[in-house]
Amino acid sequence: SAVISQKPSRDICQRGTSLTIQCQVDSQVTMMFWYRQQPGQSLTLIATANQGSEATYESGFVIDKFPISRPNLTFSTLTVSNMSPEDSSIYLCSVTVSSYEQYFGPGTRLTVT
Amino acid sequence: GEDVEQSLFLSVREGDSSVINCTYTDSSSTYLYWYKQEPGAGLQLLTYIFSNMDMKQDQRLTVLLNKKDKHLSLRIADTQTGDSAIYFCAEGVRDDKIIFGKGTRLHILP
């Protein structure tokens, strides 16, 4: 398994500002993922972040809105830019430890006012 | 496209068995998963099953897979109050991506 931490655990932000969420893993992993869970909804994959390459975004998500960094094999950041109330969600990072076990961080609960 | 469907709510009496059902669409899925999310917490990987298996048992949890019908179920024996949570069915698709269902909220009745 993997132990994943995220910072901050929650935040309340004003419309138009940006927030950077950090994800730290206790072991080196190749693939990291960022998900969004809107209130009462399921998880939606935002992007896949591999070290040493640009993140791959899913349909409906763009780099200008959700820039991602992956500077090494244990760390990644997701920035939510120019926030609006519709961005209020839980943002989760995850990692694959083997080819089939994917573990999630505790999530960052974002409220945009 | 890829889609995972599951019922949204299930109420079960404490001590009874809970059965949560799920259907998926991608026949090439290699792994299918059950995740648990307790209030205010992240997702916990409960169990998974490889697509060439019919059944997997792990203590109180039994996973049944009908690949022909693309149907997955999770049975929780002797349901306890601590089992109250949202259970997400998910299928592993290409490139390690996972597609999640909307989650089944399990409510335990005393």
Side-chain angles (χ1 to χ4, degrees):
Chain A
S1 66
V3 177
I4 306 167
S5 60
Q6 285 185 233
K7 288 182 182 179
S9 58
R10 58 178 64 229
D11 207 342
I12 301 173
C13 300
Q14 290 194 336
R15 182 195 300 259
T17 63
S18 298
L19 176 72
T20 295
I21 302 167
Q22 299 178 6
C23 178
Q24 180 77 50
V25 190
D26 68 340
S27 57
Q28 293 185 338
V29 294
T30 303
M31 302 188 75
M32 296 181 77
F33 303 86
W34 286 98
Y35 287 82
R36 180 174 74 182
Q37 185 179 24
Q38 292 178 302
Q41 300 296 313
S42 185
L43 283 79
T44 302
L45 180 63
I46 297 171
T48 303
N50 291 338
Q51 194 264 341
S53 62
E54 294 286 328
T56 303
Y57 289 82
E58 297 298 303
S59 175
F61 298 96
V62 295
I63 188 171
D64 290 346
K65 175 68 176 176
F66 297 102
I68 288 171
S69 77
R70 182 78 200 275
N72 58 53
L73 291 174
T74 63
F75 187 78
S76 177
T77 67
L78 169 77
T79 298
V80 186
S81 303
N82 188 24
M83 288 183 283
S84 67
E86 292 71 35
D87 294 320
S88 296
S89 292
I90 300 173
Y91 292 85
L92 301 103
C93 69
S94 72
V95 303
T96 50
V97 171
S98 63
S99 61
Y100 47 86
E101 291 184 356
Q102 191 165 131
Y103 294 93
F104 284 78
T108 295
R109 188 178 296 270
L110 171 62
T111 303
V112 183
T113 60
Chain B
E2 301 140 350
D3 196 18
V4 178
E5 298 282 343
Q6 55 184 126
S7 55
L8 296 182
F9 298 99
L10 177 66
S11 289
V12 174
R13 290 209 177 274
E14 189 175 359
D16 288 351
S17 292
S18 305
V19 180
I20 303 172
N21 294 300
C22 165
T23 57
Y24 61 97
T25 56
D26 192 336
S27 57
S28 64
S29 295
T30 51
Y31 288 94
L32 295 127
Y33 303 86
W34 286 102
Y35 283 85
K36 177 182 180 182
Q37 186 176 39
E38 295 181 83
L43 266 72
Q44 173 193 353
L45 176 60
L46 265 185
T47 187
Y48 56 87
I49 186 168
F50 190 45
S51 60
N52 68 353
M53 298 170 65
D54 298 323
M55 185 181 84
K56 181 178 180 182
Q57 187 153 3
D58 184 2
Q59 299 181 332
R60 292 192 298 121
L61 304 178
T62 302
V63 178
L64 295 178
L65 174 61
N66 181 329
K67 194 172 182 180
K68 174 176 169 290
D69 294 337
K70 300 190 185 71
H71 183 268
L72 184 73
S73 69
L74 173 70
R75 178 176 179 270
I76 305 172
D78 187 23
T79 307
Q80 305 295 308
T81 55
D83 296 323
S84 180
I86 301 175
Y87 291 83
F88 290 94
C89 172
E91 60 172 337
V93 295
R94 67 202 176 288
D95 301 327
D96 286 0
K97 295 179 186 176
I98 296 181
I99 306 297
F100 286 83
K102 293 190 187 304
T104 299
R105 185 179 296 274
L106 177 62
H107 178 62
I108 313 303
L109 301 168

